[in-house]
Amino acid sequence: MAACSIEDVLAKAEREEVEKLKSISVHKEQELEFDPGNLFAFDKNPPNIREFRKLNKDEFLRSLARDNTQLLINELWKLPTERVEEVIVAKLPEPTTRLPREKPVPKPRPSTKWEEFAKLKGIQKKKKTNLVWDDVHKEWKRRWGYKRANDDTKEWLIEVPETADPNEDQFSKRIKAKKERVAKNELNRLRNIARGQKIKVPGVGLAPTEQQSKTELGKAIHVAKHSTASVGKFQGNLPKEKTPKNMGKKRKFEPLIGDFSAEKQKQLDLLNIMDSKKPRIDITKAVNKQMREEDRQSGFQKRKSPGKKGRKGNFSGKGKAKGKGKKGGPGGGSGGGNSKGGPGGGKNRKPRMKQGKR
Amino acid sequence: KPKTKRSKRFLQGREPKLNENIKNAMLIKGGNANQTVTQALKDIYSLKKPNAVMYKKKNITRPFEDQTSLEFFSKKSDCSLFLFGSHNKKRPDNLVFGRMFDFHVLDMIELGIEKFVSLKDVKNSKFPEGTKPLLIFAGDAFETDNEHKKLKSLLIDFFRGPTVSCVRLAGLEHVLHITALDGKIYFRSYKALLKKSGCRTPRIELEDMGPSFDFTMRRTHLASDDLYKTAHRQPKALKPKKKKNVSHDVFGTKYGRLHMQKQDLARLQTRKMKGLKKRKGE
């Protein structure tokens, strides 16, 4: 009895298995062509036209589609899967259908002179870190660019070497050297491009470009106009052309021999300021202010965390020192360095120092 | 010429690359486009979103005569696929599918709409934008006839979607089924329901969805064979690199190969026997 039931159970299980497989298996005369990378399947079997005409067209098409989709899904379920963030995902292979490209294959960039030399010598590129430790400022700074580490143009003290001329300006020497290096780099870059595109680069002046912007054209016009023996003084304008004012001048300086009365007035004003015994800064006021600041600071310190101290100390210290050292500029500017000094000074907990015109 | 980094990146995106971007499609209405054609264009636009541009105004051009305006549009909007819809007495409900190579027309195939069921008329829920559809072509005409072969290639290009490395198995629901039968081409779109089947692979049931077209093939404009060859050329860098000196046998064992210089067998270092070493005295 038990044996019969076991056999029955086994037979039943087998039948169920077959049925399950039947539900997903589809019989086709010819195998379909699959391209899982594109989620694409191609059924080459000629469809049954008689059936198509007999049945409702949509029904026939739908059943055909169902069969084909089943086969494609079977194929896709065979792919390796992985679990990505609670979702089961199948890894698709590369698409095998050959489709035309959208744009032609890009030409490889022409190599620069250095790249060719490196290839010849077998020099490999060494990967460098982005930041470098700057001992002077005691922080990590960029290797190159804005606010870089070990910037020799920004040094405030340069020892004059013994072999150098004592009247030479070492600071401007370094700045000039930097400018030369930048210009040389730019020239080499343009030369590399020119070599790649097989056009010539002029040593001086503007390189010929196809589409020039307004500024570039303006510059070209200016250069052409002023390349005459009289440096463009007698070049007429075109009918609607306007001469641009102050081309090339960044600062306005008074002419040497111009308005005599204005110059006289300026000099007399200066003498008056120098003569007057009254100081530009009201010393008593400044000292009182300083004392008040210090008192307030010490009170603040006792209440708040020591972290705030730095900021306050920085402010007032700098402000006062610079204020005192300041000599009067041309007329104008408020006396003393404290901009908020007069009106707001009393109640300001955190004085914001704005250094005005100096 | 780019003045900002953003515009520079934008232009770099449009340059030719080794691994290309997904092809964009532009959908253009002709001089006299009727309701059917406009609705058809709108439906295909919704299938192809977001990689499609729909031109709202009518453009009076004839693709088969003059291709310059199409090429200009494609250059401006960086689209390499186009679909032009028009309607006249001689060719009613006309759709021209086409693609470009290097902003010049590669091939164009004109299909006439015999029957059209729009997305609007089908009551079911719509697919989320950007789902990669399962493409299935049926019919031996796609294998035997040259024009049908090109049409198959064009339609795959049009509807295949972005190339991805992995796909979510549960999200495979959009099915596009194209049959070539009886001289006509039947384009149907279904929603696939994955039902339990007892084993791991689910059983598929299809539900009618989306636009369905009955097309007839009209004129074609195919490029010359060598233009096709140039267009299909893949860069060498993309070919998979063959690993040398490594082989696998039938059972899956991995074999490697080492190349040695010729060894002098007389001086070969075998086991050292310390006791047999010659001492100084001897």
Side-chain angles (χ1 to χ4, degrees), chain A residues 240-287:
Chain A
K240 283 191 185 168
E241 194 187 347
K242 285 180 255 186
T243 35
K245 290 187 275 189
N246 305 328
M247 246 210 78
K249 278 200 193 144
K250 280 191 181 168
R251 277 163 224 97
K252 184 177 178 185
F253 292 109
E254 299 292 329
L256 278 176
I257 303 169
D259 192 357
F260 286 123
S261 54
E263 195 184 341
K264 183 173 157 191
Q265 200 56 42
K266 269 201 213 148
Q267 302 281 17
L268 285 176
D269 282 340
L270 196 63
L271 282 173
N272 278 336
I273 293 164
M274 280 159 61
D275 265 345
S276 72
K277 300 270 166 74
K278 217 172 91 178
R280 295 282 280 160
I281 310 163
D282 190 354
I283 293 187
T284 41
K285 226 180 179 176
V287 169

Side-chain angles (χ1 to χ4, degrees), chain A residues 23 38-43 53 58 62 66 68 70 74 77 87 89-90 92 98 100-103, chain B residues 14 17-18 20 23 78 80 102 135 137 139 143 160 165-167 182 188 200-204 231:
Chain A
S23 70
N38 269 328
L39 301 182
F40 165 72
F42 179 34
D43 178 10
R53 288 194 189 139
D58 281 326
R62 190 187 310 167
R66 197 223 77 79
N68 288 335
Q70 184 69 65
N74 291 352
W77 249 251
V87 171
V89 146
L92 293 177
R98 278 193 80 203
R101 280 174 64 94
E102 179 178 44
K103 292 168 190 150
Chain B
R14 288 195 171 185
K17 295 179 203 138
L18 281 180
E20 293 200 308
K23 293 190 182 182
D78 189 33
S80 50
D102 196 18
L135 288 166
F137 283 75
E143 178 76 11
R160 74 168 162 156
S165 54
C166 328
V167 70
D182 223 3
R188 296 284 181 273
R200 200 171 149 250
T201 324
R203 182 177 162 77
I204 299 287

Side-chain angles (χ1 to χ4, degrees), chain A residues 142-347:
Chain A
R142 273 169 241 224
R143 188 181 285 277
W144 57 271
Y146 180 63
K147 284 189 187 161
R148 59 180 170 280
N150 310 324
D151 190 356
D152 67 347
T153 48
K154 299 275 190 300
E155 273 183 32
W156 57 273
L157 178 80
I158 305 177
E159 287 176 17
V160 178
E162 297 195 42
T163 52
D165 174 19
N167 291 331
E168 201 184 359
D169 185 357
Q170 297 295 328
F171 296 103
S172 67
K173 186 171 158 191
R174 285 198 182 176
I175 294 173
K176 271 200 200 101
K178 171 88 185 153
K179 283 196 181 152
E180 273 176 29
R181 273 178 276 141
V182 168
K184 181 176 168 236
N185 197 6
E186 184 66 20
L187 182 68
N188 281 334
R189 183 182 76 89
L190 290 176
R191 267 209 222 130
N192 275 325
I193 295 170
R195 200 183 310 113
Q197 292 181 11
K198 308 224 174 12
I199 47 175
K200 287 195 182 245
V201 173
V204 177
L206 304 166
T209 46
E210 298 129 35
Q211 283 294 77
Q212 289 168 305
S213 69
K214 194 173 171 185
T215 45
E216 283 172 12
L217 284 172
K219 191 174 179 188
I221 292 170
H222 180 79
V223 167
K225 223 177 176 183
H226 289 254
S227 316
T228 59
S230 334
V231 202
K233 200 164 171 197
F234 299 111
Q235 287 302 108
N237 279 350
L238 290 174
K240 283 191 185 168
E241 194 187 347
K242 285 180 255 186
T243 35
K245 290 187 275 189
N246 305 328
M247 246 210 78
K249 278 200 193 144
K250 280 191 181 168
R251 277 163 224 97
K252 184 177 178 185
F253 292 109
E254 299 292 329
L256 278 176
I257 303 169
D259 192 357
F260 286 123
S261 54
E263 195 184 341
K264 183 173 157 191
Q265 200 56 42
K266 269 201 213 148
Q267 302 281 17
L268 285 176
D269 282 340
L270 196 63
L271 282 173
N272 278 336
I273 293 164
M274 280 159 61
D275 265 345
S276 72
K277 300 270 166 74
K278 217 172 91 178
R280 295 282 280 160
I281 310 163
D282 190 354
I283 293 187
T284 41
K285 226 180 179 176
V287 169
N288 287 338
K289 219 182 216 75
Q290 172 76 7
M291 292 201 302
R292 236 203 328 259
E293 263 307 306
E294 281 171 0
D295 289 337
R296 206 188 300 137
Q297 258 183 55
S298 50
F300 212 65
Q301 256 175 55
K302 285 172 195 165
R303 262 176 283 146
K304 289 257 172 151
S305 54
K308 297 269 179 176
K309 181 181 165 186
R311 187 150 50 105
K312 286 265 199 79
N314 226 2
F315 266 129
S316 28
K318 250 199 212 162
K320 307 292 181 209
K322 281 194 176 153
K324 281 195 184 142
K326 182 168 138 179
K327 293 273 155 73
S334 56
N338 311 333
S339 49
K340 277 196 180 159
K347 298 284 171 167

Side-chain angles (χ1 to χ4, degrees), chain A residues 6-74:
Chain A
I6 290 174
E7 268 178 35
D8 280 337
V9 165
L10 284 172
K12 197 175 166 197
E14 239 186 80
R15 261 180 282 135
E16 274 180 22
E17 277 277 339
V18 171
E19 268 187 45
K20 279 178 195 168
L21 284 174
K22 245 203 288 177
S23 70
I24 62 161
S25 65
V26 175
H27 174 68
K28 287 276 181 181
E29 277 170 21
Q30 241 184 330
E31 279 294 318
L32 306 197
E33 266 179 26
F34 294 107
D35 180 7
N38 269 328
L39 301 182
F40 165 72
F42 179 34
D43 178 10
K44 284 191 246 190
N45 299 310
N48 203 333
I49 300 182
R50 266 181 283 125
E51 248 190 68
F52 173 67
R53 288 194 189 139
K54 256 198 294 179
L55 291 175
N56 179 12
K57 290 185 184 165
D58 281 326
E59 288 294 322
F60 174 79
L61 288 172
R62 190 187 310 167
S63 65
L64 180 63
R66 197 223 77 79
D67 290 338
N68 288 335
T69 323
Q70 184 69 65
L71 287 168
L72 178 56
I73 291 279
N74 291 352

